[in-house]
Amino acid sequence: MKTASVSNIRINTIKIKPFKDQKPGTSGLRKTVKQFQVLDYLQAFIQSIFNSQAELEGATLILGGDGRYFNREAVQIILRMATANGVGKIILGQAGILSTPAASHLITKYEALGGIILSASHNAGGPLGDFGVKFDTANGGPAPESLTDEIFIISSNLREYKIIDISPVPMDKIGQYKLGNMVIEVIDAVEDYSKLMSEIFNFDKISRLLTSSDFSMCFDAMHAVTGPYATSILEDQLGARQGSVIRGRPLPNFGGAHPDPNLVHAEQLVETMYREEGAPNFGAASDGDGDRNMIMGDYFFVTPSDSLAIMTANAHLIPAYSKGLKGVARSMPTSEAVDKVAEKMGLNCFETPTGWKFFSNLLDADQITLCGEESFGTGSSHVNEKDGLWAVLFWLNILAERQDSVEHIVRQHWAEYGRNYYTRHDYEKLPFKSAESLFNNLHDNINQLSQKPFNQHTIATADSFTYIDPIDNSISENQGVRIIFDDSSRIIFRLSGTGTEGATLRVYIEKYVTDLAQFELDTQDALKSLIQTAESIADIKGYTGRTEPTVIT
Ligand code: G1P
Ligand code: ZN
C-alpha cells in the first residue's frame, strides 16, 4: 500500500489482482450482494469507472441508490474513493437514496460529468439478494456499450485503486461538507424531481381528480425507492388520500419481496385492483429503483406495450407534449401497438434492441419524445432514463383530462387501432449450457425457417436482430431471434442480460387483431397456438427439460 495526501487526508493506493468478471449487462454491473462484498470487488469496479473518465479531475458526480442492502456501505466506499481520485464535487441524495430517473435529472440539471447509481433494479434485495452499479454519462443516460466495454477492459487489467481511510463520511443530513479537496453536497432526494414533474404535467387538474370524492387510487411502492417520491408528490402535493401509497417505506430487503411491478410480484396491488367491489379507479406500482411502472384500472390490467401506445395517442393532453412529439421508439420485443399510433400520427417509430441505453442517442438527437419497453419501462425526453412515477402522473393527467375510466380508454384505443395481444414467458435459472445450445440450434436453423408452416402459422421472415444505430452507425448484433409470421404475429427469443443466477430465456409472443369480436379473449388463450409454436420451434422442453415458464407476464 502506497500513501499520499490531499489537505492532510491520506490517500492509500491498494494493490489488487484484476477481477475478470466485471462485464456490465443490459443495465450496469449486477451481481449478488455476496459477490459485491468480496474484498476489493466494488472498489475495483468503481476505480474502473473512474479510470474510464478522462475529465474526472475536479468534476461533479451525482451519487445515490435504491436503498437496498449494501447501499450505505457502497456510498461510503465511493465517497472515499472519489476524494482520492480527485473528483471535485459529489451531489448525494440524502441517506444515499436517489431513484434512477431522479439521478438522471440531477446529472443534466447540475451539468455533472455523470452519475453512479447503486441498484439492481427489480431484482430481490437483502444480504442474499442482488446489488448493482450503473454509470450514467453527462446526458443523464446509461453508459453506451462502447463505454461499458471500455470499463470492462479496464477492470480486467486493474491492479490498484485509490481510497482515503477516513470514515464514516456524512450522508444523512442535508448540507455541504468538505472531504479533502472534494465537496459533498447532500440534497433532498425528492425536491428537484418533483419540481420537474410539476413542469411537465397539469398538477392542478390532477389534484382536482385526486381530491374528488368519486376517485381513488393505489400506488404500490414495493418498499423500494419510489416510496418517498410518491408520498410527497401524490399524497402531500396532489392531495391523494392518505394511504393511497402502500408499502411506501423503503426497506433494505424490500420487505422480503421482489420489487418488480408485474402481475406476479405486485400481488397486493393486483388483489386490491381485482376486488369484486370497491376497487380503486387507478392502480400503479414501481420497481426497486423507480424506473419501471405498472398501470391498472378497476379490474383491469394495461400491458406496458399498450400503455406506451395510449400515452402516445394522448400526449397532446399533457402540457409538456401538447405541441407535438418528435417521434417514438420501442424496444424490438415490445409489441407493435405504438407503431399503429405513430403511423396514424405521421411520426417516426424506431425499433431498438432491449435496454434503455439504445434510446439515448435518439433522445439526444431529438429524434424521439416518447419511448418504452414491454418490461414495464416508459420514458420521454424529460430525462434519459425510463421513469416510473412520471408514467403514473402521465396516466393520471390523461384520466383528469378525459374524465373516463382506464378500462374504457384502453377499449376505445383497441377499437380505433386494433389490439396487440401480448405475453412474455420467462424460463429462469436455466443451466448456461442448455440455454446456449437452445440458441445455437435456433441460429443454425434460422435460414430454413422462412416460409415454413407451423400449426396454422406461416413464417414470413426469421432472423437474428441486428441494430444499426441511426445516429452514430454503431452496430449491435445478436439482439434476439425474431420470427415474424405472414399475419404479422411475432415470436421473439432472447437471453436476459440482467440475471445473476443461471440463464433466463425470454420468449415474447404477439398477435394483432382488428376484429372487435376477438377483443374479449384471455391473453394466454388468444396466443395459445403461437405459444405452442414457440415451444416447438425452439424445442424448449428438449433443451431445458422445462414444460412451462417460471414467470408469465
Ligand atoms: C430487462 C428488461 C429490459 C430492461 C432491463 C433493465 O433486461 O427485459 O427491457 O431494459 O431489464 O431494466 P433483460 O433481463 O431482459 O436483459
Ligand atoms: Zn429498474
Side-chain angles (χ1 to χ4, degrees), residues 340-487:
K340 312 275 183 291
V341 180
E343 198 184 335
K344 201 160 184 177
M345 290 171 73
L347 293 171
N348 271 339
C349 179
F350 297 86
E351 184 177 45
T352 61
T354 294
W356 206 259
K357 56 191 170 213
F358 295 101
F359 293 135
S360 281
N361 273 358
L362 296 169
L363 287 166
D364 284 349
D366 242 3
Q367 293 292 308
I368 56 169
T369 309
L370 297 181
C371 46
E373 295 191 272
E374 50 65 44
S375 54
F376 299 85
T378 337
S380 90
S381 47
H382 72 291
V383 293
N384 222 324
E385 288 273 8
K386 56 189 177 245
D387 190 344
L389 209 46
W390 164 88
V392 171
L393 289 164
F394 200 122
W395 266 91
L396 285 171
N397 206 150
I398 295 176
L399 296 179
E401 288 290 347
R402 290 188 51 173
Q403 296 290 319
D404 202 348
S405 73
V406 171
E407 175 169 354
H408 193 241
I409 289 173
V410 177
R411 288 194 183 283
Q412 272 198 335
H413 187 90
W414 292 340
E416 186 171 351
Y417 297 95
R419 176 171 183 184
N420 292 71
Y421 278 105
Y422 187 83
T423 191
R424 186 176 102 184
H425 287 198
D426 293 338
Y427 296 79
E428 296 176 329
K429 298 184 189 164
L430 298 173
F432 284 112
K433 275 233 150 65
S434 343
E436 201 184 317
S437 320
L438 181 149
F439 259 84
N440 287 344
N441 177 54
L442 267 177
H443 279 287
D444 290 348
N445 290 330
I446 251 176
N447 294 332
Q448 291 132 46
L449 283 174
S450 291
Q451 309 308 324
K452 241 190 173 174
F454 269 94
N455 295 340
Q456 65 266 52
H457 311 284
T458 304
I459 296 173
T461 50
D463 64 3
S464 168
F465 182 52
T466 295
Y467 181 62
I468 304 175
D469 187 299
I471 311 301
D472 63 15
N473 293 320
S474 58
I475 298 175
S476 302
E477 290 177 315
N478 293 325
Q479 298 296 321
V481 167
R482 271 195 306 194
I483 295 173
I484 304 171
F485 296 86
D486 56 0
D487 65 351

Side-chain angles (χ1 to χ4, degrees), residues 27 30 66 68 100-101 119-123 134 259-261 286-292 375-376 385-386:
S27 187
R30 226 174 259 192
D66 63 13
R68 66 178 59 227
T100 289
S119 169
S121 187
H122 51 287
N123 293 19
K134 300 191 280 186
D260 198 358
S286 191
D287 72 327
D289 61 331
D291 57 0
R292 293 187 174 200
S375 54
F376 299 85
E385 288 273 8
K386 56 189 177 245

Side-chain angles (χ1 to χ4, degrees), residues 131-436:
F131 191 75
V133 179
K134 300 191 280 186
F135 183 65
D136 276 11
T137 49
N139 64 359
E145 264 189 343
S146 53
L147 178 54
T148 53
D149 287 350
E150 190 188 332
I151 294 172
F152 176 53
I153 292 170
I154 297 173
S155 72
S156 312
N157 298 295
L158 190 83
R159 295 193 173 272
E160 59 181 39
Y161 69 86
K162 286 190 197 149
I163 191 162
I164 61 161
D165 53 11
I166 287 186
S167 89
V169 181
M171 61 189 282
D172 291 307
K173 219 169 133 226
I174 289 173
Q176 279 220 3
Y177 307 88
K178 203 110 200 257
L179 188 63
N181 290 333
M182 185 177 86
V183 173
I184 302 173
E185 187 177 351
V186 180
I187 61 163
D188 180 306
V190 178
E191 207 173 279
D192 293 282
Y193 178 81
S194 95
K195 184 161 177 291
L196 176 67
M197 293 301 114
S198 72
E199 288 160 7
I200 296 174
F201 299 107
N202 190 331
F203 266 29
D204 287 342
K205 275 226 164 117
I206 298 176
S207 179
R208 253 175 276 148
L209 175 76
L210 290 178
T211 50
S212 73
S213 57
D214 53 358
F215 189 89
S216 62
M217 72 167 288
C218 178
F219 177 86
D220 186 355
M222 308 192 89
H223 284 309
V225 80
T226 46
Y229 292 87
T231 309
S232 164
I233 296 174
L234 299 172
E235 291 188 6
D236 302 346
Q237 295 179 52
L238 293 169
R241 243 163 274 150
Q242 264 200 7
S244 298
V245 176
I246 60 169
R247 299 202 279 172
R249 198 156 66 88
L251 297 173
N253 69 347
F254 308 118
H258 223 97
D260 198 358
N262 59 37
L263 291 174
V264 179
H265 295 303
E267 52 182 285
Q268 197 178 332
L269 174 75
V270 172
E271 257 174 50
T272 306
M273 299 310 295
Y274 281 151
R275 253 184 229 150
E276 285 296 334
E277 264 174 55
N281 308 75
F282 179 69
S286 191
D287 72 327
D289 61 331
D291 57 0
R292 293 187 174 200
N293 73 89
M294 173 165 80
I295 303 294
M296 296 187 78
D298 177 352
Y299 218 93
F300 198 79
F301 166 66
V302 187
T303 71
S305 298
D306 277 351
S307 177
L308 175 64
I310 291 163
M311 287 162 84
T312 304
N314 289 277
H316 59 281
L317 301 174
I318 311 294
Y321 312 111
S322 59
K323 292 204 180 74
L325 306 175
K326 298 268 166 34
V328 290
R330 62 164 171 83
S331 66
M332 183 272 281
T334 301
S335 100
E336 294 178 333
V338 71
D339 303 40
K340 312 275 183 291
V341 180
E343 198 184 335
K344 201 160 184 177
M345 290 171 73
L347 293 171
N348 271 339
C349 179
F350 297 86
E351 184 177 45
T352 61
T354 294
W356 206 259
K357 56 191 170 213
F358 295 101
F359 293 135
S360 281
N361 273 358
L362 296 169
L363 287 166
D364 284 349
D366 242 3
Q367 293 292 308
I368 56 169
T369 309
L370 297 181
C371 46
E373 295 191 272
E374 50 65 44
S375 54
F376 299 85
T378 337
S380 90
S381 47
H382 72 291
V383 293
N384 222 324
E385 288 273 8
K386 56 189 177 245
D387 190 344
L389 209 46
W390 164 88
V392 171
L393 289 164
F394 200 122
W395 266 91
L396 285 171
N397 206 150
I398 295 176
L399 296 179
E401 288 290 347
R402 290 188 51 173
Q403 296 290 319
D404 202 348
S405 73
V406 171
E407 175 169 354
H408 193 241
I409 289 173
V410 177
R411 288 194 183 283
Q412 272 198 335
H413 187 90
W414 292 340
E416 186 171 351
Y417 297 95
R419 176 171 183 184
N420 292 71
Y421 278 105
Y422 187 83
T423 191
R424 186 176 102 184
H425 287 198
D426 293 338
Y427 296 79
E428 296 176 329
K429 298 184 189 164
L430 298 173
F432 284 112
K433 275 233 150 65
S434 343
E436 201 184 317

